[in-house]
Amino acid sequence: MKLALFDLDHTLLNTDSDHSWGEFLVNEGLVDPVHHRQMNDQFYEDYKAGQLDPIAYNEFVFQFLTRHDNAYLTELHQLFMQKVIRPQMRPQGFAAIEHHKALGHEIVGITATSDFITAPIFREFGITNIIATNAEVVEGAYTGKVAGLPCYQQGKLLRLDQWLDGRQVNESWAYSDSINDRFLLEYATHAIAVNPDDRLEKLSQEKGWEVQDWSI
């Protein structure tokens, strides 16, 4: 297998979908604006600092999901895609995905953000193999809990190993913007830092990784 791994937030997207979802809920008047924005911003700062508690953050995000039925949540996510996400989808991301597809590579979207938020976005990029932090669902309803291991930092490699299920990878490419993904980039045969944060840019220089600019 030849494998191409794509992070989502600030890699394929020109924004962070998790933080943007919180802002979207505030702007639509669906959550308490002061408390929700304060919590959302703090978790985002923790993420950028590499100090996020992924269980706490995702349970914060999932609280909203427990209060609504799936039909409403699907409709709301479609509005989120229309208003927020589609304008932030990077053309260079589409091009890189198509490049790997043309070469017959297996394409995987891999993200710390929840499957609820990211699966429709990855699918719009043409990616159907998706590894994300999973929201627990019991009898068709969200419980507010994380199911299994969060797909964050070294957890991405563990979740990837579970997905591979013993299949051998001969060559791999990994695309990411964040120092949180250093483990994923170190795993790959070819590491590509996309608009990297300061610490990832420094690490990329040290390791001789390719750096690409996908900004719109």
Side-chain angles (χ1 to χ4, degrees):
M1 181 191 298
K2 293 191 175 183
L3 187 63
L5 301 159
F6 288 90
D7 174 55
L8 183 66
D9 299 318
H10 290 294
T11 302
L12 292 176
L13 293 177
N14 207 38
T15 189
D16 182 283
S17 60
D18 226 354
H19 185 263
S20 293
W21 172 254
E23 282 292 296
F24 169 75
L25 296 180
V26 169
N27 292 335
E28 293 296 314
L30 299 172
V31 291
D32 176 84
V34 175
H35 173 71
H36 199 89
R37 179 168 280 148
Q38 181 182 41
M39 294 286 288
N40 197 39
D41 288 349
Q42 183 58 60
F43 279 124
Y44 188 42
E45 290 304 314
D46 291 347
Y47 173 79
K48 290 190 289 186
Q51 299 171 345
L52 180 70
D53 179 338
I55 297 289
Y57 182 39
N58 280 284
E59 288 185 352
F60 162 72
V61 174
F62 296 163
Q63 286 173 12
F64 181 82
L65 306 185
T66 66
R67 302 177 190 140
H68 302 280
D69 63 40
N70 289 333
Y72 173 77
L73 292 172
T74 298
E75 181 180 327
L76 192 62
H77 196 289
Q78 289 170 350
L79 184 63
F80 174 60
M81 292 290 295
Q82 175 189 330
K83 284 190 170 184
V84 180
I85 294 299
R86 289 195 184 101
Q88 302 297 335
M89 298 174 83
R90 288 174 165 169
Q92 298 93 330
F94 280 106
I97 292 164
E98 289 308 309
H99 169 74
H100 284 285
K101 283 185 175 179
L103 293 171
H105 299 166
E106 195 78 28
I107 313 293
V108 175
I110 186 164
T111 178
T113 302
S114 73
D115 51 352
F116 169 79
I117 292 173
T118 62
I121 304 172
F122 275 129
R123 287 196 290 267
E124 195 134 331
F125 274 107
I127 296 176
T128 55
N129 296 316
I130 299 163
I131 305 173
T133 299
N134 297 121
E136 184 182 69
V137 176
V138 175
E139 296 181 356
Y142 289 102
T143 68
K145 301 295 184 183
V146 172
L149 182 72
C151 190
Y152 175 65
Q153 293 186 347
Q154 288 172 304
K156 278 195 175 182
L157 290 183
L158 295 171
R159 291 290 308 278
L160 175 60
D161 190 56
Q162 291 172 356
W163 181 83
L164 287 168
D165 192 25
R167 291 173 291 176
Q168 295 302 307
V169 177
N170 298 324
E171 191 174 9
S172 59
W173 291 257
Y175 296 82
S176 181
D177 70 293
S178 173
I179 191 64
N180 286 295
D181 282 338
R182 67 170 298 168
F183 307 105
L184 189 72
L185 293 165
E186 287 170 345
Y187 159 85
T189 316
H190 310 282
I192 301 97
V194 177
N195 297 91
D197 62 34
D198 290 343
R199 284 182 295 166
L200 182 58
E201 185 170 21
K202 183 174 184 294
L203 184 65
S204 299
Q205 291 170 352
E206 292 171 359
K207 291 185 173 288
W209 291 343
E210 184 177 354
V211 176
Q212 296 186 6
D213 181 0
W214 290 5
S215 59
I216 297 172

